[in-house]
Amino acid sequence: MVMGSLRQKADVVVIGAGPGGYVAALRAADLGKEVILVEAREQRGGVCLIEGCIPSKALIHASELLEETKSAKKMGLTFKADVDVDQLRKWKGQVVSGLTKGIDGLLSKRGVEVVTGYARFENSKSLAIEGSDVAGIDFKHCIIATGSRPIHLPFTEDKGCWTSKEALDLPKIPKRLLVIGGGYIGLELGFVYAGLGSKVVCVEFLDRVLAGADRDLSDVVKKSAQKRFEKLMLSSKVTAVEKKGDDFEVTIETDGKATTETFDAVFVAVGRKPNTEDLGLGKTKVEVDDRGLIVTDEQCRTADPNIFAIGDITHGPQLAHKASREAKVATETIAGHNAAFDNRAIPAVVFTHPELAWTGITEEEAKEQGKNVRTGVFPFAALGRAKTLGNAEGMVKVIVDAESELVLGVGIVGPSASDLIAEATLAIEMGAVLEDLMVTIHPHPTLSESIMEAAEVAGDACVHLPKPKKKADAKA
Ligand code: NAD
């Protein structure tokens, strides 16, 4: 264990250089604070940049490009595509290192001091740093942004099974890959490996995939996975994994019936847990709940007045953009601004094929909460631009309050759902009503028209779908 002898002081110390931490460090510096950013890894960027969102999106793009070379045949285009795994891995690495250097440049231009080492609280005003020349840091305020790590199942640990970290390293293209978990990570990387040539079997505990989204939307991804994977096993669980030579012998239970199958690789994607247990939080007043999450208020302040917490270690979705927003709230609060995390909508995006995105409330949540809502659904199959892309799978669903017509939520499954969801999120934040979406001129021919069309369906004014029969007409 390396312990230095230097002691430093800062207005704000940020622990963790992911999309929560590095954004907090930059913003705090812009607000005139002396900032130290402590990061245990050699690179800045956190899981999102180094072994999460960015490398996965690079691989998803590459594997979808490969898929497009196959589907272009219907347009009269034929390609012979080969996969050079070493070059693909290298390119993904270049994307990551380019962005990491970008963050380092931003930090150094703002005078943020970066300390590489592992931070633990000594008390509510100081940190001890392990593995650095800097022994400790005294602070006025600290922002904890230590993120999360993948969970293993009791029988997958120490058996050479992959988590997202190993899967993103692209160690090989297994002939037959078992993915445990049909959530964000399991499906996104399941599609990548299927695209690169693996026979993918995905085992999901629930009777559906991507349980956070409405079922009618996630079912579109489910059907696509059923086409691209060898098997999607719902209402199933893995109960044992044994290493047999280079292979994995896996027991899978469905409806109480166990089967044994052999795979070349096993990838565990059953959720992530917060990195809070080894921070010395017991030496502060910070409160941690039974799931290891730090309890915070609207300003991202913990029970300890000098200490803030943001990102995956706090309540709410484990999403980079939520962490970045919280970073701004925490730093602006520290700087004495009137800031609060009072966002009405946090968009969620799953980069599958097709992409799935939702924001605000889902229709299922609205029903659970007893809200009286109206919905409008428009299929991409009726949209010119989607047809020209040769990719018209999916739909847009707009959810509004039945009386006030306030836009409460939007769900999109289909081409560029990841980008389209931003307009819907802005609409919810701005308190838009249905008419705002209906009368806003959307450029033609674009995918963005699908949101206007879905709003028009909800407003009974859509001309691009057959006129729905009124209840009275239907009776006549
Ligand atoms: P997840 O919660 O999205 O999905 C885990 C899935 O595993 C669930 O569907 C669950 O029912 C299933 N499961 C749990 N135990 C199981 C078992 N024993 N057998 C079979 N299935 C089991 O978790 P994740 O995919 O690991 O992702 C973690 C978090 O990371 C996500 O919640 C998300 O917030 C974040 N993430 C976001 C993105 C993105 O924004 N595009 C991408 C990746 C990850």
Side-chain angles (χ1 to χ4, degrees), residues 290-314:
D290 51 7
R291 290 158 58 204
L293 295 168
I294 296 179
V295 182
T296 52
D297 67 11
E298 271 208 322
Q299 269 85 36
C300 305
R301 204 188 287 272
T302 67
D304 196 314
N306 301 320
I307 303 174
F308 290 68
I310 59 174
D312 288 8
I313 52 168
T314 63

Side-chain angles (χ1 to χ4, degrees), residues 57 153 180-186 188 203-206 236-238 269-272 318-319 349-351:
K57 263 78 264 178
L153 292 167
I180 310 178
Y184 281 70
I185 297 180
E188 285 187 1
V203 174
E204 165 58 48
F205 190 65
L206 302 175
S236 301
K237 61 179 181 194
V238 173
V270 295
R272 302 180 61 85
Q318 294 171 314
L319 297 170
V349 176
V350 195
F351 294 78

Side-chain angles (χ1 to χ4, degrees), residues 32-109:
K33 301 291 177 189
E34 259 184 79
V35 184
I36 298 178
L37 175 62
V38 187
E39 167 57 56
R41 294 175 198 253
E42 292 296 328
Q43 278 178 303
R44 269 58 56 193
V47 168
C48 168
L49 179 41
I50 299 163
E51 55 191 44
C53 321
I54 296 297
S56 70
K57 263 78 264 178
L59 293 181
I60 287 165
H61 177 69
S63 94
E64 281 309 312
L65 202 56
L66 198 59
E67 285 293 333
E68 281 187 31
T69 63
K70 295 178 204 158
S71 62
K73 209 172 168 186
K74 65 179 180 241
M75 301 173 192
L77 307 174
T78 40
F79 299 90
K80 186 182 168 314
D82 290 319
V83 182
D84 176 343
V85 181
D86 291 336
Q87 179 56 29
L88 179 55
R89 197 183 299 115
K90 193 171 150 197
W91 173 70
K92 177 207 62 159
Q94 284 164 349
V95 172
V96 170
S97 62
L99 288 167
T100 304
K101 282 191 196 114
I103 293 173
D104 284 344
L106 294 171
L107 290 165
S108 92
K109 289 220 170 72

Side-chain angles (χ1 to χ4, degrees), residues 158-179:
D158 304 327
K159 295 242 172 84
C161 296
W162 296 350
T163 64
S164 51
K165 179 183 186 308
E166 290 78 27
L168 285 166
D169 279 344
L170 211 63
K172 62 176 178 182
I173 311 289
K175 280 201 182 73
R176 197 156 186 256
L177 169 68
L178 173 69
V179 177

Side-chain angles (χ1 to χ4, degrees), residues 113-417:
E113 186 181 339
V114 175
V115 169
T116 303
Y118 191 92
R120 282 185 195 88
F121 287 93
E122 294 173 324
N123 54 53
S124 295
K125 288 182 174 172
S126 75
L127 289 164
I129 312 295
E130 184 187 319
S132 165
D133 293 344
V134 178
I137 306 170
D138 300 320
F139 59 81
K140 288 187 190 149
H141 288 104
C142 178
I143 300 175
I144 315 171
T146 46
S148 61
R149 62 185 187 280
I151 299 172
H152 259 289
L153 292 167
F155 44 83
T156 58
E157 199 132 33
D158 304 327
K159 295 242 172 84
C161 296
W162 296 350
T163 64
S164 51
K165 179 183 186 308
E166 290 78 27
L168 285 166
D169 279 344
L170 211 63
K172 62 176 178 182
I173 311 289
K175 280 201 182 73
R176 197 156 186 256
L177 169 68
L178 173 69
V179 177
I180 310 178
Y184 281 70
I185 297 180
L187 285 186
E188 285 187 1
L189 290 177
F191 274 90
V192 166
Y193 276 93
L196 295 177
S198 296
K199 288 194 182 312
V200 173
V201 174
C202 177
V203 174
E204 165 58 48
F205 190 65
L206 302 175
D207 65 349
R208 61 198 284 186
V209 296
L210 300 166
D214 276 336
R215 192 187 279 263
D216 52 349
L217 303 177
S218 65
D219 272 355
V220 177
V221 178
K222 179 182 89 179
K223 283 192 189 117
S224 169
Q226 281 165 335
K227 271 190 224 150
R228 290 209 186 169
F229 295 179
E230 181 191 317
K231 257 192 293 190
L232 175 61
M233 302 175 73
L234 298 176
S235 308
S236 301
K237 61 179 181 194
V238 173
T239 52
V241 173
E242 292 303 331
K243 191 96 206 304
K244 291 274 162 81
D246 286 343
D247 295 338
F248 293 85
E249 214 171 82
V250 178
T251 310
I252 305 170
E253 239 180 70
T254 312
D255 295 331
K257 200 173 148 245
T259 50
T260 304
E261 302 203 25
T262 305
F263 297 91
D264 304 282
V266 173
F267 167 29
V268 186
V270 295
R272 302 180 61 85
K273 62 179 167 190
N275 295 325
T276 51
E277 62 272 68
D278 189 21
L279 292 173
L281 292 175
K283 295 185 174 161
T284 71
K285 297 192 199 88
V286 173
E287 281 173 16
V288 179
D289 74 7
D290 51 7
R291 290 158 58 204
L293 295 168
I294 296 179
V295 182
T296 52
D297 67 11
E298 271 208 322
Q299 269 85 36
C300 305
R301 204 188 287 272
T302 67
D304 196 314
N306 301 320
I307 303 174
F308 290 68
I310 59 174
D312 288 8
I313 52 168
T314 63
H315 288 256
Q318 294 171 314
L319 297 170
H321 42 271
K322 177 235 180 202
S324 299
R325 170 80 193 118
E326 287 177 332
K328 290 170 190 162
V329 171
T331 45
E332 286 164 17
T333 302
I334 290 169
H337 294 205
N338 188 14
F341 191 91
D342 52 5
N343 290 65
R344 292 181 181 196
I346 304 173
V349 176
V350 195
F351 294 78
T352 40
H353 178 85
E355 292 179 349
L356 172 59
W358 66 100
T359 190
I361 202 165
T362 64
E363 191 179 358
E364 288 172 18
E365 281 166 348
K367 283 189 181 142
E368 276 161 26
Q369 292 171 20
K371 285 192 186 338
N372 185 15
V373 294
R374 189 142 43 90
T375 62
V377 174
F378 188 82
F380 280 106
L383 193 78
R385 181 62 180 137
K387 288 289 207 190
T388 65
L389 295 171
N391 184 5
E393 236 178 318
M395 61 186 126
V396 173
K397 174 159 63 173
V398 170
I399 302 146
V400 297
D401 182 271
E403 275 110 57
S404 67
E405 298 201 332
L406 199 66
V407 181
L408 299 178
V410 174
I412 306 176
V413 60
S416 298

Side-chain angles (χ1 to χ4, degrees), residues 435-446:
E435 193 185 1
D436 296 316
L437 293 182
M438 290 166 68
V439 304
T440 298
I441 298 176
H442 287 70
H444 178 75
T446 65

